[in-house]
């Protein structure tokens, strides 16, 4: 193989253009996105998205505002279904099933795929009830099971020691960082496979941000985490793989170290170096 061929192969790998069925990447629990296009009326917001997201890793989406990161994130739990005039083409395969299929049980899907939003949004109820809410909605009535699951979830969200004596207090009484960890506990109480995080620290101070980032690192051994972030430093700290979006397209995707230190596309290099964004 000559130098030109080696360089081309490296570029294809970096841009995620290699065969998605390659043995090195294959896993039945990976998420495989193929030829995904999304339209709001006549406007095309996502263009021919192809990516494989490995299980129990942290996948970051970076790019300038309005480039399609959050829109793509909401494809994984079908939140875009709620937007009037939105139309999605292509496949998102999870466990050999296309979640975009008309036969998909969207309620069940959103149990498998938890979500944490940009602004902490605890329910106006007690800390305990915030975490127990989803379980009760699923019909769980065993009080001991609910109590155990609430404690486990708060422990996994690194919040138990701070709230174990005030579980009766309103979730909205907590600090911003605590509220966001409560929202994470609420998401993981349903034991999802995937957690979506849409700029989860953008409204938090540096200390709270650090706590959430540490938590992401701890949780990835149990969940597949997909995080949208405007902070390239955050993506570099917490993610295993990074995809760079621009104008609705994935320009480059690969191992985070490679994307930040040896980008193959000049547009990726320009964004990471701060020339635009």
């Amino acid at each position: 193989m000559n130098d030109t061929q080696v360089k081309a192969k490296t570029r294809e790998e970096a841009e995620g253009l290699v065969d998605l069925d390659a043995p090195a990447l294959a896993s039945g629990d990976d998420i495989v996105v193929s030829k995904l296009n999304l339209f709001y009326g006549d406007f095309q917001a996502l263009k021919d998205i192809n990516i494989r997201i490995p299980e129990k890793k942290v996948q970051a989406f970076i790019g300038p505002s309005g480039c399609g990161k959050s829109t793509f994130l909401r494809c994984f739990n079908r939140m875009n279904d709620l937007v009037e005039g939105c139309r999605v083409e292509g496949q998102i395969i999870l466990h050999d099933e296309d979640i975009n299929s008309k036969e998909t049980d969207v309620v069940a899907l959103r149990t498998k795929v938890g979500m944490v939003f940009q602004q902490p949004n605890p329910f106006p109820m007690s800390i305990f009830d915030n975490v127990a809410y989803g379980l009760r909605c699923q019909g769980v009535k065993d009080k001991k099971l609910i109590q155990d699951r609430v404690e486990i979830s708060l422990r996994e969200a690194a919040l138990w020691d701070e709230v174990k004596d005030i579980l009766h207090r309103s979730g909205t009484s907590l600090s911003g960082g605590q509220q966001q960890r409560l929202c994470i506990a609420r998401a993981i109480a349903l034991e999802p496979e995937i957690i979506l995080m849409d700029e989860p620290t953008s409204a938090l101070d540096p200390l709270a941000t650090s706590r959430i980032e540490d938590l992401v690192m701890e949780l990835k051994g149990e969940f597949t985490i997909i995080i949208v972030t405007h902070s390239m430093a955050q993506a570099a700290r917490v993610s295993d793989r990074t995809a760079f979006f621009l104008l609705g397209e994935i320009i480059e995707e690969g191992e985070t170290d490679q994307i930040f230190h040896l980008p193959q596309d000049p547009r990726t290099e320009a964004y990471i170096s701060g020339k635009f964004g």
Side-chain angles (χ1 to χ4, degrees):
M1 185 178 292
N2 60 37
D3 290 344
T4 301
Q5 290 172 315
V6 170
K7 184 176 181 180
K9 182 174 184 293
T10 301
R11 183 178 66 253
E12 289 174 354
E13 290 175 343
E15 294 177 352
L17 298 177
V18 293
D19 181 5
L20 290 175
D21 295 319
L25 291 175
S27 168
D29 294 325
D30 289 354
I31 307 166
V32 180
V33 181
S34 178
K35 298 180 180 178
L36 188 82
N37 295 280
L38 184 144
F39 302 82
Y40 294 124
D42 295 330
F43 172 70
Q44 186 169 3
L46 296 175
K47 304 170 185 175
D48 200 28
I49 302 294
N50 297 280
I51 188 174
R52 180 186 290 271
I53 298 175
E55 66 161 333
K56 295 183 180 179
K57 300 288 185 181
V58 179
Q59 172 77 56
F61 297 157
I62 64 171
S65 297
C67 67
K69 306 183 300 295
S70 293
T71 296
F72 184 42
L73 188 76
R74 291 193 295 269
C75 289
F76 294 100
N77 62 355
R78 298 272 299 264
M79 288 290 288
N80 291 310
D81 289 9
L82 305 175
V83 180
E84 186 176 355
C86 181
R87 175 168 53 91
V88 179
E89 300 173 351
Q91 294 184 320
I92 300 178
I93 305 297
L94 177 63
H95 299 318
D96 299 321
E97 295 184 3
D98 180 11
I99 69 172
N100 286 333
S101 168
K102 293 180 180 179
E103 286 71 41
T104 296
D105 183 334
V106 177
V107 174
L109 173 67
R110 290 173 185 161
T111 300
K112 294 179 184 177
V113 184
M115 189 161 188
V116 178
F117 296 91
Q118 183 173 357
Q119 293 284 343
N121 61 340
F123 300 143
M125 56 182 67
S126 72
I127 294 167
F128 182 94
D129 288 339
N130 260 273
V131 183
Y133 180 82
L135 297 169
R136 289 172 175 152
C137 287
Q138 285 192 330
V140 178
K141 296 180 180 179
D142 186 323
K143 291 184 178 180
K144 180 65 164 58
L145 177 60
I146 291 174
Q147 289 175 345
D148 289 347
R149 192 64 210 156
V150 167
E151 179 176 344
I152 289 169
S153 301
L154 288 169
R155 286 187 183 278
E156 289 184 330
L159 190 58
W160 174 254
D161 288 340
E162 297 169 44
V163 301
K164 62 183 178 182
D165 296 322
I166 56 169
L167 293 175
H168 63 284
R169 290 188 189 174
S170 172
T172 58
S173 69
L174 299 175
S175 69
Q178 289 175 321
Q179 287 186 26
Q180 195 65 303
R181 280 182 282 147
L182 178 62
C183 293
I184 292 172
R186 186 176 67 199
I188 64 182
L190 295 176
E191 299 181 292
E193 299 175 29
I194 301 160
I195 300 176
L196 310 178
M197 295 186 169
D198 192 0
E199 298 192 55
T201 63
S202 63
L204 305 181
D205 61 59
L207 180 59
T209 294
S210 179
R211 295 291 298 275
I212 297 294
E213 290 181 359
D214 289 344
L215 180 56
V216 169
M217 297 294 288
E218 293 171 11
L219 291 175
K220 75 174 183 179
E222 186 175 352
F223 307 96
T224 300
I225 298 175
I226 308 175
I227 182 170
V228 168
T229 178
H230 270 108
S231 169
M232 287 181 284
Q234 182 172 80
R237 286 192 295 265
V238 305
S239 68
D240 299 288
R241 299 185 68 84
T242 296
F244 168 55
F245 282 73
L246 186 64
L247 299 176
E249 298 181 72
I250 293 181
I251 303 303
E252 188 169 352
E253 192 277 339
E255 297 286 341
T256 294
D257 284 347
Q258 178 265 311
I259 293 294
F260 280 93
H261 297 114
L262 193 63
Q264 302 299 304
D265 191 291
R267 292 168 293 181
T268 310
E269 183 176 11
Y271 179 74
I272 288 172
S273 64
K275 293 179 181 177
F276 73 95

